[in-house]
Each structure stands twice: as structure tokens, then as C-alpha cells.
């Protein structure tokens, strides 16, 4: 379902004008009741395999970046492995919030380097609507559901993952949490009554961190690969907030035309946002073989990551 800003106006004390100006978001996608993250992840995985011309049986590993898995146990990736029929693949989830896809991409790239002929399916997938408090206007206007995927393997040509780095500032873990349902605060009637199973964010603090971190990561990626702004075809950032992405790109000296954005349609889909944007960028012809592309993500943890790719 498409949930527009006008729909949200009827649910909480907000307005299309406020959401558009403060975030750049106009609408987001919401999965139906009964649909879980692995359903979206499987579909994205299937399409990525088709596009790559890879059979499910050829996969060595499936990594699903998510913090909204179907259940705490088993991993979302296990459902995906079964439904794809990828019987030769190991499968695990990676939890790094909005940096999840970049983290997973980085570990998958390392796996492909050390294991001959390896093929890894990397999926970013979230059903954030299921963990969103639709009575909290400070968070419910931001998030949406989605999934995207890539297949990594040896290309046999000059395309490559040139550089990856990830980081964490665990002391800031409280900035974005789902307080209950884990082992610190197991589920109880009280946690349900107190709405403790929904996301809580300290948006303004994340905002400040994100502008500086995103621009630092873009500069780091270019410097480590000895690339200049002119060498970069496209930046595909975590779709966090237009008001974060624009100043961050400017601070890194990257013209905004080189930054792909689709936040207006999907909102912030956390681990899914980079692969969703990557897919649309490729389909729109914004990325061609040989182009240098930077993927960048950051989020609750606090965590961050950057990957520089020669497509
Ligand atoms: O991907 C990683 C996770 N993402 C995040 O953590 C989000 C990062 N942060 C953000 O994107 C922005 O901080 C927000 C979009 C969450 C908020 O934008 P902001 O410009 O930082 O707004 P604010 O929190 O400073 O609030 C400004 C005003 C406040 O009113 P007062 O105190 O100035 O009277 C809020 O109460 O806007 C009010 N407000 C709203 N008004 C209408 C907060 N939420 C809303 C709303 N509609 N939905």
C-alpha cells in the first residue's frame, strides 16, 4: 500500500508541508498484514538472481541486512534460502540498521575475494511499518517498507569492489532503539502496554551526526581510491532525509546531480534503502559498466559504512 503524507495527516498531528520540507518524503510503501520481511527479501533476491543470470543453486551465501526480521529466531535469511531453493547456500542476518546493506556488501565482497568462484546474494529488507509507532509523529512519518538485492561474484572483467570500510560508535546506542522484545527487556504485558516494541529515535541528534559522517565517508572513499569528484559517476546514499543528504554532499564537494535520491517515494527504508536506490539508478541508466559508484550508509548503533565500486 502507498501511505501518503496526506494519509498521515489523518493519523497524527502533522502536515504534508512539514514532512516534505523537513524530510523530502511524499509517500512510503507499507506491506499488507501478514506480509513479513522475508517475503519482500525473497522477491528482491529472486529478481537479483534473474538479472545476474545466476541460479539459486549456485549461491554459496545469502546475507540479509535487516533489523526487522520475521522472528528473533530463525534468521530471516533462512526463510529466503528455503524459498529461493538455494540449497547450497549458508544464510544469516546482519543487523546494522541503516548501514546494514553497506556492512553486508562489505563482508560479502571479502567472502568473494577469499573463496574461489563464490557467489553471494546480499539483500537489504525491512518491514518497518510493523515496528513503527503510528501514534508518534516524530518517527512514523519517516519510515517505510522495502527490499533490494545484489549478487556479488567474480566478474572476469575490470569491475570490482575497490574499497569498503565500516565503523561504530556503540556509546551512542540509545539514539535509535526498539527497547523491548530482546533479552534486556523481554516481552510482557507491560512492555506491550507501554509501546516498547516500537522504534524510538532521537531524530535531531541522529541528524547532526549523519551530515558530518556521510560527508566524511564520501571523502574517505574517494581519497582511499585516489579518485576525485570528477571520477565519481554516482553516489547512492542511505535515503535518510533530503536535508541530511544535500548538505553532506555539498560538504564533500559532490554536486547534488551526482547523488541518487528516491526518498520522496519510499521514505527511509533503513537496510533496504541503498539497494532500492541502486536498482532504480541502474534501471534509469544512471550507472554504466566501468563507472565509479559510492554506496554510503549510517544509522542506529551508531553504525556507518562506505563502499566504492567500479561497476
Ligand atoms: O536512518 C537513521 C534513522 N533516522 C533518523 O534517526 C532520522 C534523522 N533525523 C531526521 O530526519 C530529522 O531530525 C527529523 C525528520 C526526525 C525531524 O526533523 P527536525 O528538523 O530535526 O525537527 P525537530 O525534531 O527539530 O522538530 C522541530 C519541530 C518541533 O516543534 P517545536 O519544538 O519547534 O515546537 C517538533 O515538535 O517540529 C515538531 N515536529 C513535527 N511537526 C509536525 C516533530 N515531528 C513533527 C511532525 N509534524 N511529524
Amino acid at each position: 500500500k502507498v501511505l501518503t503524507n496526506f494519509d498521515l495527516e489523518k493519523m497524527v498531528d502533522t502536515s504534508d508541508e512539514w514532512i516534505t520540507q523537513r524530510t523530502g518524503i511524499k509517500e512510503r510503501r507499507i506491506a499488507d498484514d501478514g506480509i513479513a520481511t522475508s517475503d519482500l527479501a525473497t522477491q528482491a533476491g529472486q529478481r537479483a538472481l534473474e538479472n545476474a543470470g545466476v541460479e539459486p543453486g549456485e549461491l554459496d551465501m545469502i546475507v540479509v541486512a535487516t533489523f526487522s526480521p520475521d522472528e528473533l529466531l530463525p534468521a530471516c535469511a533462512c526463510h529466503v534460502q528455503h524459498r529461493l531453493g538455494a540449497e547450497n547456500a549458508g544464510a544469516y542476518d546482519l543487523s546494522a540498521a541503516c548501514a546494514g546493506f553497506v556492512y553486508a556488501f562489505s563482508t560479502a565482497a571479502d567472502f568473494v575475494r577469499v573463496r574461489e568462484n563464490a557467489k553471494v546474494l546480499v539483500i537489504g529488507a525491512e518491514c518497518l511499518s510493523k515496528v513503527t509507532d503510528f501514534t508518534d509523529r516524530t518517527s512514523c512519518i519517516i519510515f517505510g517498507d522495502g527490499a533490494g538485492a545484489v549478487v556479488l561474484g567474480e566478474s572476469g572483467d575490470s569491475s570490482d569492489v575497490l574499497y569498503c570500510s565500516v565503523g561504530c560508535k556503540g556509546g551512542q546506542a540509545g539514539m535509535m532503539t526498539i527497547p523491548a522484545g530482546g533479552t534486556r527487556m523481554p516481552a510482557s504485558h507491560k512492555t506491550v502496554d507501554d509501546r516498547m516494541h516500537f522504534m524510538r529515535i532521537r531524530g535531531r541528534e541522529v541528524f547532526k551526526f549523519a551530515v558530518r559522517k556521510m560527508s566524511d565517508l564520501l571523502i574517505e572513499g574517494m581519497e582511499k581510491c585516489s579518485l576525485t569528484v570528477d571520477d565519481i559517476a554516482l553516489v547512492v546514499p542511505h535515503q535518510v532525509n533530503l536535508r541530511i543528504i544535500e548538505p553532506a554532499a555539498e560538504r564533500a564537494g559532490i554536486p547534488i546531480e551526482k547523488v541518487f535520491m528516491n526518498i520522496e517515494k519510499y521514505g527511509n527504508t533503513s537496510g533496504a534503502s541503498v539497494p532500492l536506490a541502486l536498482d532504480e539508478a541502474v534501471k534509469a541508466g544512471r550507472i554504466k559498466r566501468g563507472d565509479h559508484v559510492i554506496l554510503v550508509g549510517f544509522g542506529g548503533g551508531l553504525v556507518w559504512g562506505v563502499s566504492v565500486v567500479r561497476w
Side-chain angles (χ1 to χ4, degrees):
K1 288 194 288 280
V2 176
L3 185 73
T4 67
N5 293 348
F6 297 106
D7 295 328
L8 282 166
E9 282 182 358
K10 295 177 203 129
M11 298 160 70
V12 286
D13 179 17
T14 191
S15 65
D16 170 57
E17 192 190 357
W18 191 95
I19 301 171
T20 307
Q21 278 178 4
R22 297 277 176 154
T23 68
I25 301 166
K26 296 296 284 183
E27 58 190 38
R28 63 291 288 144
R29 268 63 185 165
I30 305 292
D32 281 338
D33 290 346
I35 296 292
T37 301
S38 71
D39 300 319
L40 307 187
T42 302
Q43 222 176 82
Q46 221 149 20
R47 290 188 200 167
L49 287 172
E50 281 163 21
N51 286 343
V54 170
E55 292 298 323
E58 293 178 70
L59 288 175
D60 297 280
M61 190 67 81
I62 298 172
V63 191
V64 177
T66 187
F67 74 87
S68 53
D70 301 19
E71 310 97 4
L72 278 180
L73 183 74
C76 189
C78 300
H79 297 303
V80 176
Q81 187 256 15
H82 172 66
R83 279 189 232 145
L84 289 177
E87 68 273 6
N88 302 314
Y92 67 96
D93 289 357
L94 189 152
S95 175
C98 306
F101 181 80
V102 181
Y103 261 71
F105 189 87
S106 159
T107 54
D110 288 344
F111 187 90
V112 167
R113 262 185 242 289
V114 296
R115 183 85 66 97
E116 210 179 327
N117 277 326
K119 288 189 172 53
V120 184
L121 177 63
V122 184
I123 306 174
E126 308 280 8
C127 267
L128 300 181
S129 61
K130 318 277 182 182
V131 291
T132 295
D133 185 347
F134 282 101
T135 66
D136 173 14
R137 71 172 183 171
T138 64
S139 66
C140 76
I141 53 111
I142 299 173
F143 298 104
D145 300 339
V150 300
V151 180
L152 284 185
E154 280 179 34
S155 65
D157 63 17
S158 68
S159 65
D160 204 354
V161 178
L162 303 177
Y163 176 74
C164 289
S165 101
V166 294
C168 171
K169 196 172 178 187
Q172 304 293 319
M175 280 201 197
M176 193 178 165
T177 65
I178 298 178
T183 53
R184 178 70 61 197
M185 199 186 291
S188 68
H189 290 293
K190 183 166 169 34
T191 59
V192 173
D193 291 345
D194 292 347
R195 310 184 77 74
M196 303 288 265
H197 295 270
F198 294 122
M199 278 183 285
R200 293 186 175 186
I201 60 162
R202 304 215 298 261
R204 210 176 303 185
E205 289 168 67
V206 177
F207 192 102
K208 283 186 210 145
F209 153 81
V211 174
R212 177 167 282 273
K213 184 48 78 179
M214 180 177 153
S215 56
D216 286 350
L217 288 168
L218 292 173
I219 293 164
E220 176 189 330
M222 288 189 286
E223 279 180 3
K224 294 284 182 183
C225 298
S226 304
L227 297 171
T228 67
V229 170
D230 291 340
D231 300 318
I232 304 300
L234 199 66
V235 172
V236 182
H238 167 45
Q239 305 290 308
V240 54
N241 184 327
L242 208 65
R243 282 173 49 237
I244 292 174
I245 296 170
E246 283 178 345
E250 193 184 332
R251 190 169 170 266
I254 296 183
I256 202 67
E257 308 80 65
K258 288 192 175 193
V259 182
F260 192 85
M261 280 183 282
N262 59 7
I263 190 171
E264 68 282 358
K265 275 192 290 181
Y266 305 111
N268 178 344
T269 57
S270 191
S273 85
V274 171
L276 267 180
L278 188 59
D279 183 50
E280 289 204 341
V282 172
K283 284 182 178 146
R286 299 278 305 270
I287 302 176
K288 298 183 300 296
R289 208 78 180 155
D291 278 351
H292 290 111
V293 179
I294 307 183
L295 314 179
V296 61
F298 37 82
L302 293 170
V303 284
W304 58 84
V306 62
S307 296
V308 184
V309 177
R310 191 185 303 117
W311 193 256

